[in-house]
C-alpha cells in the first residue's frame, strides 16, 4: 500500500465511522423530543423513562461524533494540504457555520441533560428540540461542503488560479439540496430501523415489554416514514447526477456505451475490460426514464469520457446495488407496517413483525455506508470534480501507512467502547427506571 492509497483509506475509514455517529446524532434527539412531548401531554411515566434512556444514548453519540468529526477536520488539512490550500477559502463558510451549530447543540444538550426538575418543563423540552435542530443543521452544512466537491461553484478557475470567490454561491451549489435531502432521509431511515430493531429484540426477549413497546413504536414510525420518502429523494439525486456527473451515473449502472432506451441494470458483475455486465437483469428503457424522465432519451456511457477519468466501475456499481437493494427492502417493510397501522392493528403485536424489524436493524446503516461509497468513489479521480485530481492533493509526507494503521486501531477500539456502553445502557433499563407495567 503506497502513501496515496493509505491516505485515501484513512479518510474513508474515518468518514465511514463518523457517518454512523453523525446520523444517530442528527436524528435521535427528535425521537427523544417526541417521547418527551408524549410524557408532558399524557403524564405517562413510561414515556419519561424512554426519554431519559434515549437522552443517555444521545449524549454517548454526541461525544463520539464530536471526537470523530474533529479528527476528520484535521485529516483534511494533514492528508490533503494542496486541496485545503485552494478549497479552504472557497468552501470554508459551511464548515464555520457548522462549528457554530455544534456549539449551540453542545450548550442545548448540556441544558437538557442537567435540566431535569430545574427548568420549566416546556422550556426543558424545547432545549431537546434545539439539540435536534442544531444537529440537523450541522449535518446539512457538512453535506453542503461535500456537495461542493461534486459540483464546484462560487469561483472562477483561470490559468490554475481560483479567483472571484463567492462563499455563498459555493455553499449553495447545484448539488447541495439533493445531497442534503437524500442524506437527511437516509439518516432518519437508518437510525429509525436501528433503534426500532433493538427495542423489537428486547420485546422478543420479554425484557421491560411496556417500555420497549413505547420506544419501538416511536422509532418504527420515523423509520418507515423515512423509508417511504427516500425513493423520492433518490429520484431527485439520480436526475441531478445524470445532469452534473454523467460518468458517475454510468459507473453506478455499469453503463459502458452511450445509447437511447438505456436499460436499467439490476445486479450483475461488471467486466470493465470487455465493457459488459454479466449475469445482470436488464429493464429496457428504464435508465433513460429514471435519468431523464423519458424512455427514449440517450444516457451517456463511459465511452464518452477519457479512460483516465473513469471512476472505479465495480466498486461504484456494487455499492449502488447494495444501497438500492436495502432501500427497497426497508421500503417494503415500511409499506407493510403502515398498512398494518391502517387495516391490521392486531398484527402489530405479532412476534414475526418484531423479528422482521430486528433482522433489519443494520440495513439502514449498511445502505448509508454504500451510498457514501457511491458518492466518494464515483467522483474519482477528482477531489474537486473536473478541476483537481485526488492524487494531486495528497500530502508529500511519507509514512502515511503507519498513520492508517494507528487510526484503524483507534476507531475499532472506539466502536467497541460505544457498543459496550450502549449494551450496558439497554441492559440496565430495568434497573435505572422503575417501570410499572
Amino acid at each position: 500500500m503506497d502513501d496515496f492509497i493509505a491516505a485515501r483509506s484513512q479518510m474513508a475509514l474515518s468518514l465511514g465511522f463518523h457517518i454512523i455517529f453523525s446520523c444517530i446524532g442528527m436524528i435521535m434527539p427528535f425521537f427523544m423530543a417526541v417521547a418527551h412531548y408524549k410524557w408532558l401531554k399524557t403524564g405517562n411515566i413510561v414515556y419519561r423513562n424512554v426519554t431519559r434512556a434515549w437522552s443517555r444514548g444521545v449524549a454517548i453519540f454526541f461525544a463520539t461524533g464530536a471526537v470523530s468529526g474533529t479528527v476528520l477536520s484535521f485529516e483534511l488539512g494533514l492528508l490533503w494540504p494542496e486541496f485545503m490550500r485552494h478549497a479552504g477559502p472557497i468552501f470554508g463558510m459551511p464548515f464555520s457555520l457548522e462549528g457554530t451549530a455544534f456549539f449551540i447543540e453542545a450548550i442545548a444538550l448540556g441544558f437538557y441533560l442537567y435540566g431535569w426538575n430545574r427548568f420549566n418543563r416546556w422550556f426543558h423540552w424545547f432545549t431537546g428540540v434545539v439539540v435536534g435542530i442544531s444537529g440537523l443543521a450541522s449535518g446539512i452544512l457538512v453535506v453542503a461542503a461535500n456537495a461542493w466537491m461534486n459540483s464546484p461553484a462560487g469561483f472562477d478557475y483561470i490559468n490554475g488560479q481560483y479567483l472571484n470567490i463567492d462563499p455563498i454561491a459555493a455553499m449553495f451549489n447545484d448539488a447541495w439540496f439533493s445531497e442534503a435531502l437524500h442524506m437527511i432521509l437516509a439518516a432518519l431511515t437508518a437510525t429509525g430501523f436501528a433503534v426500532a430493531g433493538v427495542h423489537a429484540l428486547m420485546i422478543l426477549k420479554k425484557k421491560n415489554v411496556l417500555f420497549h413497546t413505547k420506544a419501538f413504536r416511536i422509532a418504527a414510525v420515523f423509520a418507515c416514514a423515512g423509508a417511504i420518502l427516500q425513493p423520492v429523494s433518490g429520484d431527485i439525486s439520480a436526475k441531478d447526477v445524470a445532469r452534473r456527473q454523467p460518468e458517475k451515473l454510468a459507473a453506478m449502472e455499469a453503463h459502458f456505451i452511450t445509447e437511447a432506451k438505456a436499460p436499467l441494470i439490476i445486479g450483475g458483475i461488471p467486466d470493465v475490460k470487455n465493457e459488459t455486465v454479466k449475469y445482470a437483469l436488464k429493464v429496457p428503457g428504464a435508465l433513460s426514464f429514471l435519468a431523464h424522465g423519458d424512455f427514449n432519451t440517450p444516457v451517456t456511457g463511459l465511452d464518452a469520457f477519457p479512460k483516465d477519468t473513469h471512476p472505479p466501475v465495480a466498486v461504484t456499481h456494487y455499492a449502488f446495488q447494495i444501497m438500492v437493494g436495502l432501500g427497497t427492502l426497508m421500503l417494503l417493510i415500511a409499506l407493510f407496517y403502515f398498512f398494518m397501522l391502517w387495516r391490521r392493528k392486531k398484527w402489530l403485536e405479532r412476534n414475526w413483525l418484531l423479528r422482521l424489524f430486528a433482522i433489519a436493524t443494520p440495513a439502514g446503516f449498511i445502505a448509508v455506508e454504500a451510498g457514501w461509497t457511491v458518492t466518494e468513489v464515483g467522483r474519482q479521480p477528482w477531489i474537486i470534480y473536473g478541476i483537481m485530481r485526488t492524487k494531486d492533493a495528497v500530502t508529500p509526507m511519507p509514512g502515511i501507512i503507519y498513520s492508517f494503521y494507528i487510526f484503524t486501531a483507534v476507531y475499532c477500539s472506539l466502536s467497541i467502547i460505544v457498543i459496550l456502553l450502549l449494551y450496558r445502557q439497554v441492559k440496565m433499563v430495568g434497573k435505572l427506571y422503575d417501570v410499572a407495567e
Side-chain angles (χ1 to χ4, degrees), residues 374-390:
V374 171
T375 300
E376 297 303 296
V377 177
R379 188 181 62 243
Q380 298 306 313
W382 307 102
I383 192 169
I384 305 176
Y385 176 66
I387 295 175
M388 179 184 288
R389 291 178 181 259
T390 309

Side-chain angles (χ1 to χ4, degrees), residues 181-182 185 188-189 223-235 331 334:
L181 178 63
H182 200 59
L185 291 175
L188 175 62
T189 306
C224 293
I228 289 174
L229 293 173
Q230 188 69 299
V232 178
S233 72
D235 181 67
L331 172 62

Side-chain angles (χ1 to χ4, degrees), residues 294-365:
D294 181 81
F295 286 101
N296 297 312
T297 302
V299 176
T300 306
L302 290 168
D303 62 332
F305 306 96
K307 288 188 178 294
D308 66 345
T309 63
H310 289 188
V313 176
V315 174
T316 308
H317 177 70
Y318 293 142
F320 181 68
Q321 296 293 309
I322 291 170
M323 179 186 70
V324 173
L326 291 174
T328 302
L329 172 64
M330 290 183 286
L331 172 62
L332 293 175
I333 294 174
L335 292 172
F336 190 44
Y337 184 75
F338 280 131
F339 170 76
M340 287 186 287
L341 285 176
W342 176 46
R343 302 288 293 182
R344 296 289 188 274
K345 290 189 177 181
K346 291 184 178 180
W347 291 1
L348 295 172
E349 300 177 1
R350 302 290 175 84
N351 283 347
W352 55 261
L353 174 66
L354 297 172
R355 291 192 185 96
L356 186 62
F357 272 91
I359 292 170
T361 298
F365 285 116

Side-chain angles (χ1 to χ4, degrees), residues 62 100-113 130-131 134-135:
F62 176 82
T100 303
F102 172 79
F103 285 125
I104 294 173
E105 182 182 7
I107 294 168
L109 182 60
F111 280 175
Y112 190 82
L113 293 176
V130 172
V131 173
S134 54

Side-chain angles (χ1 to χ4, degrees), residues 35-307:
H36 196 165
Y37 178 82
K38 284 180 172 289
W39 173 53
L40 293 176
K41 295 296 290 185
T42 66
N44 188 333
I45 194 172
V46 178
Y47 285 120
R48 185 204 67 180
N49 295 338
V50 170
T51 304
R52 300 198 73 164
W54 278 348
S55 69
R56 293 169 185 268
V58 168
I60 291 171
F61 282 105
F62 176 82
T64 53
V67 171
S68 59
T70 302
V71 170
L72 273 171
S73 64
F74 280 111
E75 284 179 339
L76 280 173
L78 293 173
L79 298 178
W80 313 102
E82 190 67 16
F83 166 70
M84 290 303 296
R85 184 169 74 89
H86 295 291
I90 304 172
F91 81 148
M93 178 173 284
F95 279 126
S96 300
L97 294 176
E98 191 275 336
T100 303
F102 172 79
F103 285 125
I104 294 173
E105 182 182 7
I107 294 168
L109 182 60
F111 280 175
Y112 190 82
L113 293 176
Y114 298 103
W116 290 94
N117 303 319
R118 292 181 175 88
F119 295 142
N120 172 279
R121 61 179 193 159
W122 284 106
F123 175 77
H124 183 222
W125 170 80
F126 176 70
T127 62
V129 174
V130 172
V131 173
I133 293 173
S134 54
L136 194 64
S138 293
I140 292 173
L141 289 164
V142 170
V143 170
N146 177 268
W148 178 84
M149 297 165 69
N150 288 294
S151 181
F155 65 96
D156 294 323
Y157 186 65
I158 302 173
N159 297 326
Q161 299 294 316
Y162 298 78
L163 307 173
N164 304 321
I165 294 172
D166 183 349
I168 300 296
M171 184 166 66
F172 296 108
N173 55 79
D174 289 344
W176 85 269
F177 176 76
S178 61
E179 280 200 27
L181 178 63
H182 200 59
M183 186 66 245
I184 291 168
L185 291 175
L188 175 62
T189 306
T191 304
F193 270 97
V195 174
V198 169
H199 289 293
L201 184 61
M202 298 308 292
I203 297 170
L204 289 169
K205 291 183 175 182
K206 308 298 182 184
K207 302 289 183 65
N208 300 302
V209 173
L210 182 58
F211 174 94
H212 290 292
T213 298
K214 298 291 188 185
F216 168 79
R217 289 177 179 173
I218 294 172
V221 169
F222 273 102
C224 293
I228 289 174
L229 293 173
Q230 188 69 299
V232 178
S233 72
D235 181 67
I236 294 172
S237 295
K239 288 180 169 58
D240 181 61
V241 170
R243 178 177 59 84
R244 293 183 300 96
Q245 294 176 290
E247 61 266 60
K248 177 185 284 189
L249 179 68
M252 289 160 56
E253 283 293 332
H255 183 62
F256 292 99
I257 307 300
T258 302
E259 59 181 320
K261 297 182 179 180
L264 179 69
I265 296 176
I266 301 174
I269 301 174
D271 182 348
V272 178
K273 182 178 180 180
N274 296 310
E275 297 187 341
T276 186
V277 183
K278 300 176 180 177
Y279 317 115
L281 175 64
K282 298 183 179 182
V283 183
L287 182 58
S288 291
F289 179 77
L290 291 174
H292 302 293
D294 181 81
F295 286 101
N296 297 312
T297 302
V299 176
T300 306
L302 290 168
D303 62 332
F305 306 96
K307 288 188 178 294

